[in-house]
Amino acid sequence: MQISCDYLIIGSGIAGLSCALEAAKHGQVVVATKRARDESNTKYAQGGIAAVLANDDTFGAHIADTLVAGAGLCHERVVELCVQGGPEAIAKLRGYGTRFDRTDAEADELDLHLEGGHTKRRIAHAGDATGREIERALVEAIAREPNIRVLEEHMAVDLITLAKYGGPEVCVGAYVLDIESRTVITILAHATILATGGAGKVYLYTTNPDVATGDGIAMAYRAGAEVGNMEFYQFHPTCLYHPDAKNFLISEALRGEGAILRLADGTPFMPKHHPLAELAPRDIVARAIDFEIKRTGDDCVYLDITHKPAAFVRERFPSIYNECLRYGIDITAQPIPIVPAAHYLCGGVSTDLEGRTTIPGLWAIGECAFTGLHGANRLGSNSLLEGVVFGHRTAEALKVVPKQASWPTVPDWDIGSAGTPDEAVVVTHNWDELRRLMWNYVGIVRSDKRLQRAARRIAMLQEEIAEYYWNYVLTRDLLELRNIATVAQLIVECASARHESRGLHYTIDYPNLDSQRARDIVIKRGVPARHLWR
Ligand code: FAD
Ligand code: SIN
């Protein structure tokens, strides 16, 4: 089956849906998304979205905070664009129907939070479940838009580039698996926009939901696009540690409100790691926790907010309070057991200031994109902001994309002689092995030896996956496994090329910052990781 549209947007988180709402003003949009339309990292965002809204705040201060966190690798023009676009992004989200918390019910003034790394209160939020509210409003807004068609349970498998069929290097759409009917359809588009989010599932422990398997990055890489800075994976310091909790985040906002990190015996440990203690940038906090867990041999450390009035905690953090209570932890009376977990990918598919990738016809926005905003470390609450700002910038740029009079001829997906898999255990085993080896060898603290070990094992797993891929019919699990293996390979290649410790990349073999290496690492299929001066 073949369908066509002006703009194919792959992914329905904040970036994809913000872009869709604006692009629908000048063309027909198809949004393909691999599960229910609201399932995304966006839905689970807690703390909020950063923007300069307070009287005592300035663009200069937000820019400076972002640059400090980014450890010398932020692209300053991108930082300026995002920070200056903050107030409009918030206004747009409110226009779509997002209800942010206000200082009081009568006032229009938003209630702003403080988070680690921010020198001012600038986090607009909806309780402690900001993403859920934003995603709700966006999903309702697209339902009112006749120019947008949403295909749920439709997973993009691969991009369609004409180069593959002897034509020019241009992307004209994607092959998409309809999960229910198990058929692969061809979607042709004048512009294809990747908005597929992050890749937390590449690690054993993550704050991300199951959809975060780096599909967009893997597809773009296979198609020949440039990918960059994959070594900078952000580990969130505080994920709930409980055998029954899969991936529940304990927001940074708790530390913003004074929560203290303690060892099992109650000793606070952050002051000895950084002068800002609990409010230090999150890479430093995550590394400090990792260090203390390894030093003490304990399974976790504790985040303690019991010194705050119980009513304040319940009112300020209702979702976190209730979720922890489900696991028998009353956070007003007991410290919360926590561990760090993979949270956010700063690298991704390289783009320009409008979201264009290095392949004509292909764009990337949101967490799957590498715009240069975050540098070597993302400042908390800047990613929702980036999703809206770049979603809108891309939609604006799409206006001038020519709408060709006829569609190119491309073959339908060839299922060849694929049979039904008889050993699903191969997929589950490889999933587990890959995520575990990434956690153990390519986690918060790295070394050359560990990276080499990881590279060897990933190559072996990829061989096995390829064999399975060509011999059996496609399933979501198999496609995701192939994609996380590609993302793992890209993280290891970039990490191996960075001979210094900077931002989120810390290696015991090169523990210091090297001022000569304040540059991005980019990588392309068939071309080894190389340093690119920006
Ligand atoms: P997502 O919201 O992840 O959306 C990606 C979409 O693509 C999904 O719909 C997914 O199903 C779809 N998709 C993926 N692959 C395919 C495919 N092959 N085919 C079709 N569809 C596909 N950031 C902040 O700024 N502030 C916060 O407070 C904050 N808190 C967070 C808390 C948690 C627990 C997590 C996990 C993240 C948090 N972040 C926060 C980060 C932020 O939520 C994400 O970076 C952001 O939401 C990413 O938006 P996105 O639109 O790029 O991707
Ligand atoms: C959090 O609420 O701690 C997450 C914020 C973020 O990831 O930006």
Side-chain angles (χ1 to χ4, degrees):
M1 185 170 103
Q2 213 171 78
I3 60 176
S4 57
C5 57
D6 292 323
Y7 313 122
L8 168 62
I9 298 180
I10 305 173
S12 56
I14 193 168
L17 296 187
S18 301
C19 183
L21 284 165
E22 299 303 312
K25 292 177 181 161
H26 43 87
Q28 295 287 338
V29 179
V30 167
V31 176
T33 191
K34 69 177 169 178
R35 295 203 182 223
R37 63 189 66 200
D38 67 340
E39 189 54 11
S40 56
N41 270 4
T42 301
K43 183 176 161 188
Y44 300 94
Q46 293 185 353
I49 171 164
V52 174
L53 300 165
N55 291 334
D56 68 343
D57 199 1
T58 61
F59 289 147
H62 189 181
I63 289 170
D65 292 346
T66 304
L67 295 178
V68 168
L73 286 193
C74 294
H75 299 188
E76 289 195 28
R77 184 68 194 121
V78 177
V79 177
E80 280 165 16
L81 285 175
C82 282
V83 166
Q84 288 163 2
E88 195 191 329
I90 299 287
K92 280 277 190 186
L93 288 173
R94 295 181 82 185
Y96 301 143
T98 309
R99 293 186 288 259
F100 290 109
D101 286 6
R102 289 173 292 166
T103 46
D104 72 65
E106 307 305 314
D108 196 40
E109 199 182 326
L110 295 185
D111 180 51
L112 300 174
H113 283 160
L114 182 67
E115 272 183 10
H118 289 273
T119 51
K120 294 286 177 191
R121 286 192 169 260
R122 62 170 74 100
I123 316 300
H125 64 101
D128 59 351
T130 309
R132 197 165 61 205
E133 171 57 13
I134 292 176
E135 189 69 23
R136 177 204 62 76
L138 289 170
V139 163
E140 286 179 16
I142 55 162
R144 295 189 290 270
E145 183 44 74
N147 264 357
I148 302 177
R149 176 177 175 199
V150 181
L151 301 175
E152 291 180 303
E153 304 289 331
H154 276 68
M155 176 175 187
V157 176
D158 262 322
L159 297 165
I160 304 172
T161 55
L162 293 183
K164 204 170 160 192
Y165 305 111
E169 197 196 39
V170 54
C171 178
V172 294
Y175 291 115
V176 175
L177 174 68
D178 175 347
I179 305 282
E180 225 166 75
S181 70
R182 296 184 172 203
T183 51
V184 175
I185 61 173
T186 306
I187 305 184
L188 295 175
H190 300 301
T192 303
I193 299 100
L194 295 170
T196 47
K201 295 296 281 189
V202 77
Y203 285 101
L204 189 58
Y205 301 111
T206 177
T207 63
N208 292 188
D210 290 348
V211 290
T213 49
D215 300 354
I217 297 165
M219 286 189 286
Y221 175 73
R222 284 197 291 273
E226 183 184 283
V227 169
N229 282 6
M230 294 292 288
E231 70 277 33
F232 297 120
Y233 218 109
Q234 182 169 70
F235 291 82
H236 196 289
T238 57
C239 187
L240 179 63
Y241 178 74
H242 189 281
D244 300 332
K246 197 170 166 198
N247 44 18
F248 187 67
L249 182 80
I250 306 295
S251 175
E252 179 126 3
L254 266 83
R255 282 179 285 124
E257 294 294 354
I260 295 168
L261 282 160
R262 298 183 190 278
L263 298 175
D265 66 4
T267 315
F269 57 86
M270 273 314 296
K272 79 173 187 220
H273 290 276
H274 195 274
L276 288 173
E278 275 73 10
L279 291 184
R282 62 172 71 152
D283 60 314
I284 291 167
V285 182
R287 240 177 353 256
I289 296 172
D290 185 65
F291 174 86
E292 296 296 343
I293 286 176
K294 288 195 172 119
R295 187 181 66 78
T296 57
D298 290 340
D299 291 330
C300 62
V301 295
Y302 295 84
L303 187 66
D304 182 7
I305 195 157
T306 56
H307 50 287
K308 292 279 178 183
F312 165 80
V313 173
R314 277 195 296 269
E315 195 200 326
R316 173 71 184 77
F317 302 110
S319 306
I320 296 172
Y321 171 77
N322 285 318
E323 188 67 11
C324 288
L325 210 53
R326 274 193 341 116
Y327 299 109
I329 303 159
D330 175 356
I331 68 169
T332 65
Q334 292 163 267
I336 313 165
I338 58 93
V339 285
H343 184 59
Y344 184 86
L345 178 57
C346 292
V349 186
S350 302
T351 75
D352 69 5
L353 299 179
E354 268 86 36
R356 280 179 208 89
T357 71
T358 54
I359 297 183
L362 181 66
W363 313 63
I365 49 177
E367 190 169 339
C368 71
F370 159 43
T371 63
L373 171 64
H374 309 300
N377 188 9
R378 177 182 67 106
L379 184 64
S381 293
N382 267 356
S383 45
L384 293 174
L385 174 64
E386 184 191 37
V388 183
V389 170
F390 271 86
H392 290 167
R393 290 184 70 79
T394 293
E396 187 60 28
L398 291 178
K399 267 188 192 167
V400 296
V401 168
K403 294 179 180 163
Q404 311 293 348
S406 62
W407 294 105
T409 309
V410 297
D412 282 339
W413 182 262
D414 178 13
I415 97 155
S417 57
T420 309
D422 50 356
E423 286 202 72
V425 68
V426 176
V427 175
T428 46
H429 174 89
N430 287 353
W431 257 95
D432 185 64
E433 186 175 341
L434 190 71
R435 298 179 66 205
R436 197 172 289 278
L437 82 84
M438 285 299 287
W439 184 259
N440 288 332
Y441 296 153
V442 198
I444 297 173
V445 176
R446 299 162 180 175
S447 73
D448 281 350
K449 208 181 236 172
R450 289 180 198 165
L451 290 174
Q452 284 156 12
R453 277 194 196 124
R456 281 197 299 272
R457 282 171 166 75
I458 291 166
M460 271 165 45
L461 287 170
Q462 281 180 313
E463 244 175 67
E464 233 169 74
I465 294 165
E467 192 183 308
Y468 207 78
Y469 184 82
W470 294 116
N471 289 336
Y472 297 107
V473 289
L474 297 183
T475 63
R476 184 163 43 203
D477 281 352
L478 177 57
L479 290 172
E480 289 181 343
L481 172 64
R482 181 169 77 133
N483 290 334
I484 62 164
T486 301
V487 170
Q489 171 209 327
L490 296 174
I491 295 174
V492 171
E493 280 188 34
C494 288
S496 305
R498 186 167 292 285
H499 293 173
E500 63 165 345
S501 290
R502 178 185 295 275
L504 299 164
H505 173 70
Y506 183 81
T507 162
I508 51 177
D509 290 312
Y510 313 95
N512 300 315
L513 197 79
D514 178 351
S515 60
Q516 301 299 309
R517 291 176 190 271
R519 50 192 164 162
D520 298 323
I521 291 176
V522 295
I523 194 167
K524 230 178 136 162
R525 193 172 187 183
V527 183
R530 67 188 157 89
H531 289 248
L532 183 80
W533 289 97
R534 296 264 186 203

